[in-house]
Amino acid sequence: LISPRLVRYYLTKLTMAMVETTISSHNEASVARLTNEAATEEEKKEEEATPSSSAPIVKNENQTSAAVAIVTANNDGGNIIDSSARPNIDPKNPPLQKPSYYIDSFHEHFFPHPQNDAIDTSNTYKKPLSIPQRYATSMARRPWTHLIIAFVIAFILSFVGLRFGDFKVAINNSGWWSRGTEIGNRATQEMMIRLNRYDLFFDETGEVWEELQSEMQPDWQGPRHDRVGANKNNETEGKGLDDATLTSVCSGEWYGSGDMMLGSNENLFTIWKTEDAEAEDPEMSILDADAMYDLCIAEENTLSALEDGDHCYKCPDTGSCVPPYSLVLMARLHLTGNDISKLDSLSELISCDTLKSTWTARVQGDFTMALKICVNWSIRMASDDTKNKDGMITMQNTSITVTNPCPFPIRFRATVVDNLFPTTLPNIVRYSSSYYATKMSEEDTNGMYEANENDNAYDRSDGTPLSGVYDTTDETFQNMYSDAIVGRDMALAVGSAGVTIIAMVMHTQSPFLTLMGLFQILLSFPLAYFVYYFIAGLVFFPFLNFIGIFVVFALGADDVFVAVDKWKNARHELPHGTTEQVAALALPDAAYSMMLTSLTTAVAFFGTAICPVGPIVCFAVFCGLLITLDYMMNILLVFPALCLYDKWLLAGSTNCLVHFECWCFHKNKGEKASESDIQGKSAPNSMDDVTSGELVVSISAVEQLSIEDTTRINASDRPEKQQQPTVARRDKGTDDEERQLLLELEHETLIHRILDGYYNVLHTFRWQVLAIAFAAIIACTILAAQLSLPVSSEVALLPDSNEYQMHWSWKQNLLSNTLAKEQGSEALIMWGVTPADTGDHLNPDSWTKLVLDEKFDPKSEDSQSYLLNFCDRLFKQFGKVNEKYECPMVLFDEWLKDQSTSQSPTEAYSQNCKGATSVPVHLEVFDPCIIGWSQLVNIKSVLQTKGSVKIMQIRTKSNLRADSPQSESKNEWTTYEAWLNDERSSAPNGANKMYQSDIVYWWFDTNQQMLKTAYGAAGIALACAAVVVFISARSFVLTLFAAISIAYVLVAATACLVGLGWELGFLESILFAILIGISCDFVIHFGHAYTMYSGNVNRQHRSHFALTHMGPSILAAAFTTFMAAVVMIFTEITFFRKFAVILFMTILHSTIGCFIVFLVLCDCFGPAEPTKSYNAIKAKIFGSARKE
């Protein structure tokens, strides 16, 4: 590398490259003459003195209009160009070269010239067309064939996909759990046992066990499992309401029972709130006379509606529905002396008017005191350290003993007061509830939903002094509403399509091209589903996938804009090239540009597919396919449509469906010009029409600015590359004047003049703008750093203003809910089951099989002793679920001791235990003895089949709920797992595979996996964006500028979301990862345009050209995406709305990032030769390779 020979070689090569880039003409003979210091004046005069008599003379004037010289070949003439017509070029101050990518390519492929004057003209090299260029040429020759074939194939595949692909939208919330993870596999098997425990316990033939182990089970969240599983796991609470339990309902036993509270019973459930409940110092109370009266009236109206629909249980004496469990019921009981004998006629005994008139301050005070007694008792009973203090209540430092703690004749539940009632003075009730005894059938639930949603049959009061919201105890209304609004939200996609259509019509000025663009977007959806179903093998189609409709309408229009603008730019540079020639140059360039932006977006979606949550994976794959198929349909439909469009215009079409204003080529002042206006000839229709005797050489008006003399051109010269259009620098001219002159000659549209004015302002204040941009980045970074993880893991599907979401939110303020959170839940420790999920993880309908641990052997004496003593250590570490709970092995040991000393042991002991006195028992006795005991006392935590114990479970305490903070969930899971790891190391081989599981852990794992997915997908998207930006710009400096701009987009969008009060939940994280790919699209376009100047051109000209060249397309794309986001904001599903907000913020700051941050960086520090380092490295690598 340091040898003198190589140094001289590279220095010579670098010098020649610098010289070549400073000379405006691409004629190699001219370059040689300008750089050859030994050339004599006599040689120059000799060259100037050899004109060709047969060559036509084209007169040129300063700032002339665009001219086209159709030059006839002179086979007899010499290879001479009149050098007197050439401008006087100073190599140290070269003229500004207008970027002419298409002109250069045009001559490289179609009209090559010799590399040097000394070389014979017969040794020219015609650069062959690439495969994409040949395909584009073929498309231009037969556009109708390509277009029809593409349509036929697209329609056939779309029909097959939608008709035979079992297309249906899963509008339920199934599948939103992690699958295939350690915690997910554990929870899957635990849920399998929970839902089938009853059948497994009473299975005498082993058929249930065989079925669960051999057949894939359906979705555990399905209706059958929800109802059956809930009833079987809550047998102590009863099996719900039906006609057989009507007597207990009318007698008052239902009030406060598990049947009332049980979610699976789907009782109608109302939450009430006072008008100032959310104030800092609320004054209104539901216990006030006016509020009690309004509550009473609302309940009676609702009961009347339930009776009309026959949705409630009616007592036979009166034929009326039993009153709801509420403060009104307790107040009536209080006024009647707690007489419960006539519950169904309480409303007749004490009407709402009577209640209001008798509700004096004294009565209200007595009733409030009774409530305080019940509430304090509930609080103390919920506390572990006071459960055994029977009847002892402390109020205001006074301890009293109460035999009947709560003075009401029905069981008290803390659902009638809010969590601040015990601590506020005076005691006020801000939130309360009403439970209605309603029927459980699906028909009744649907009828109640229709009455509430469509008929407004249920009284919500008028908001003064209180208002109410309705749902069921199982939140069924919320789920039904969520399912129903998916279709309504998708209807808004029609609005998004309308905005896109208008934008495309305005930008393309062609209804025909707009129609093809619309077909491109619409067909991408069924085609993506075809690939999704038949190739990817995905059968689950969640409602989340419909976000893709908004995405493809917004981003699909961007592809249309790029394709159309690339074609028009090529046609602008080659006004008299054939359609085939323009297609060969413009279409591959457009396909390449669109591929880069589509790649970053598609990779951002596909990168999210690493998530182990089925709906997220399906969403990511489908949207990635949408972007990919949209890109392909753009090539297959819009490209041939552009060829037809161009042919029609060349043929002089005046059809307004082709173009609003028929044009072929424009003169300076907007007048139409055709080729015949200049030379009296028509443009050739194909490349075959261009013969050796006649060729088309387009010369831009900019090229003529400094040419004062006439020019003689001999056609036999056939320059390979047309002389680069140049603007000679004037000694006293300014960059602004040159840019303005270029603008006047190249662009006459309003948008280009606006962008030029914008650039002038930006350039004038570039240093101030740069300082402001970096200050904004720093400020946004500081604010974005305040984005925090959510305190709760709960995910709201509906907006806060929705009735059913308000029901959930208001319910959190009830005292009963607060007590339940403090009590926590319970987890299970299991033996005999292997953590596994054997189903299709991307299809909730394919769940799992039961997988047993064949190594579980509780029969050995070591295992029995270990299992017996395990609970003492467990409860000492984590506590009991409740004071009365004991482990199965402990209860079994106590039973053996009792039976062995009993004078009349049970039959189960006598026949199976063979006189065993305690644990451990003999190996052969264990199975029949413990099985006989478990069936005798109905202990379902010991499950057996064919006389052998297969599964054993222990309930243990957990302090978590579904909405517990992630930090608390992680701490408890880690603590349990660490403790169990120690236990496994000391356990005997037959009992050392136990693990803990809980649905709360599963929800925690789901959240954690989504956060990990977000970080991983973000990394993938950023890496892809960096590579794509570098490939498009081929400049390390521009890649750095792009990275700064993308960083601005991310921190600015995040700062805005912090300002909106967002937290980094898993949905937000997923959306951030996806939109990283979208954030870099605009910068890619600007970076590519910046490098279109060849050679050494100052940064101001490059920045100005990038702005005016790609600015219109970017603004049009930003507009369509903005409008799609605005339309999407009006959806109701939270995920859709959040996606819309993030999309809006991303596009807003992407526009700012490229038009301000990236552009001002380029204008201040942009390289004059951006690809120099890249080309040098490429030449060194590939040059060395060729030498070797």
Side-chain angles (χ1 to χ4, degrees), residues 108-124:
E108 285 178 354
H109 293 296
F110 304 123
F111 303 110
H113 80 97
Q115 299 295 320
N116 192 288
D117 286 343
I119 301 177
D120 193 332
T121 58
S122 61
N123 293 331
T124 58

Side-chain angles (χ1 to χ4, degrees), residues 657-677:
L657 296 179
V658 176
H659 196 276
F660 291 150
E661 182 180 327
C662 291
W663 60 271
C664 290
F665 312 105
H666 294 272
K667 295 181 179 180
N668 276 357
K669 295 184 180 180
E671 300 176 0
K672 295 179 184 178
S674 68
E675 198 168 335
S676 60
D677 294 333

Side-chain angles (χ1 to χ4, degrees), residues 956-983:
T956 183
K957 184 178 180 180
S958 171
N959 296 317
L960 302 178
R961 289 179 62 85
D963 58 352
S964 296
Q966 291 287 291
S967 57
E968 294 181 9
S969 300
K970 183 177 182 179
N971 289 338
E972 181 170 306
W973 162 261
T974 304
T975 303
Y976 259 111
E977 190 64 14
W979 186 83
L980 284 175
N981 282 333
D982 293 339
E983 287 292 321

Side-chain angles (χ1 to χ4, degrees), residues 360-386:
T360 62
R362 179 178 179 181
V363 172
Q364 181 178 341
D366 293 342
F367 182 75
T368 302
M369 179 58 69
L371 279 180
K372 290 172 64 177
I373 293 174
C374 297
V375 165
N376 279 277
W377 178 263
S378 297
I379 293 173
R380 296 181 69 84
M381 292 299 291
S383 176
D384 289 339
D385 59 351
T386 59

Side-chain angles (χ1 to χ4, degrees), residues 858-868 889 919-921 926:
K859 296 188 294 294
S860 67
E861 292 188 2
D862 290 342
S863 296
Q864 292 182 50
S865 299
Y866 176 81
L867 293 172
L868 177 65
M889 287 298 292
V919 176
V921 301
F926 177 79

Side-chain angles (χ1 to χ4, degrees), residues 743-900:
L743 183 74
E744 291 176 356
L745 291 168
E746 292 181 2
H747 305 297
E748 300 176 0
T749 61
L750 177 63
I751 183 62
H752 287 99
R753 295 187 177 278
I754 292 175
L755 291 175
D756 179 70
Y758 165 74
Y759 177 78
N760 291 333
V761 174
L762 182 70
H763 178 69
T764 302
F765 301 99
R766 60 188 180 278
W767 296 109
Q768 295 91 327
V769 173
L770 180 67
I772 294 173
F774 274 99
I777 292 175
I778 295 173
C780 290
T781 301
I782 295 173
L783 185 58
Q786 300 177 17
L787 186 67
S788 60
L789 293 174
V791 176
S792 171
S793 301
E794 193 67 33
V795 178
L797 194 61
L798 299 173
D800 293 337
S801 59
N802 181 268
E803 175 185 3
Y804 306 116
Q805 184 60 32
M806 286 194 294
H807 187 279
W808 182 89
S809 300
W810 294 2
K811 184 172 64 174
Q812 308 310 306
N813 295 288
L814 296 179
L815 178 60
S816 57
N817 197 69
T818 303
L819 295 177
K821 288 182 179 180
E822 293 176 353
Q823 288 179 328
S825 59
E826 66 178 48
L828 287 175
I829 296 179
M830 300 190 298
W831 285 265
V833 182
T834 299
D837 185 345
T838 60
D840 181 359
H841 295 178
L842 302 181
N843 182 12
D845 292 332
S846 174
W847 188 25
T848 188
K849 300 176 182 178
L850 178 63
V851 182
L852 298 179
D853 178 13
E854 301 298 338
K855 295 183 179 180
F856 176 53
D857 182 20
K859 296 188 294 294
S860 67
E861 292 188 2
D862 290 342
S863 296
Q864 292 182 50
S865 299
Y866 176 81
L867 293 172
L868 177 65
N869 299 320
F870 178 85
C871 286
D872 290 338
R873 299 190 297 273
L874 175 68
F875 295 155
K876 182 178 179 180
Q877 181 71 23
F878 299 104
K880 288 185 176 182
V881 175
N882 57 63
E883 292 297 326
K884 296 181 179 179
Y885 177 77
E886 292 292 346
C887 291
M889 287 298 292
V890 174
L891 295 176
F892 178 53
D893 181 62
E894 293 176 352
W895 181 75
L896 287 176
K897 293 177 179 179
D898 179 69
Q899 291 294 309
S900 62

Side-chain angles (χ1 to χ4, degrees), residues 163-347:
R163 176 64 179 84
F164 302 103
D166 192 26
F167 179 76
K168 59 182 180 181
V169 181
I171 56 177
N172 54 44
N173 295 321
S174 297
W176 284 89
W177 300 87
S178 58
R179 297 187 66 177
T181 64
E182 178 185 17
I183 296 178
N185 290 341
R186 292 180 179 184
T188 296
Q189 293 297 315
E190 187 270 324
M191 185 63 67
M192 169 72 77
I193 297 170
R194 177 185 299 185
L195 297 178
N196 297 279
R197 186 190 306 278
Y198 189 89
D199 294 334
L200 290 172
F201 185 78
F202 291 105
D203 180 25
E204 298 180 355
T205 63
E207 294 180 359
V208 176
W209 287 84
E210 181 65 25
E211 176 192 344
L212 294 180
Q213 292 181 78
S214 60
E215 298 182 11
M216 200 68 65
Q217 298 302 300
D219 179 18
W220 66 273
Q221 292 177 281
R224 182 179 65 85
H225 284 109
D226 278 344
R227 194 168 310 272
V228 175
N231 289 338
K232 290 178 181 179
N233 288 292
N234 293 279
E235 293 150 342
T236 58
E237 300 287 353
K239 295 187 177 181
L241 291 176
D242 52 31
D243 291 338
T245 60
L246 185 60
T247 303
S248 64
V249 173
C250 296
S251 66
E253 295 179 6
W254 177 82
Y255 292 115
S257 67
D259 290 334
M260 184 190 83
M261 303 285 293
L262 193 62
S264 60
N265 287 334
E266 299 179 357
N267 297 308
L268 189 63
F269 179 30
T270 314
I271 306 294
W272 303 98
K273 180 178 80 83
T274 59
E275 188 177 8
D276 65 344
E278 298 178 356
E280 185 176 353
D281 295 314
E283 298 179 356
M284 303 177 68
S285 174
I286 300 180
L287 297 178
D288 296 339
D290 291 340
M292 290 290 286
Y293 176 76
D294 286 354
L295 178 58
C296 179
I297 293 296
E299 288 182 350
E300 289 192 353
N301 291 337
T302 301
L303 276 175
S304 178
L306 291 172
E307 290 175 356
D308 293 342
D310 195 24
H311 301 314
C312 56
Y313 288 92
K314 302 175 182 178
C315 294
D317 294 341
T318 62
S320 302
C321 291
V322 294
Y325 182 88
S326 67
L327 287 174
V328 171
L329 173 65
M330 294 182 177
R332 282 170 168 164
L333 291 174
H334 179 75
L335 294 175
T336 59
N338 293 324
D339 183 7
I340 200 174
S341 61
K342 297 181 180 181
L343 280 174
D344 55 343
S345 60
L346 275 177
S347 59

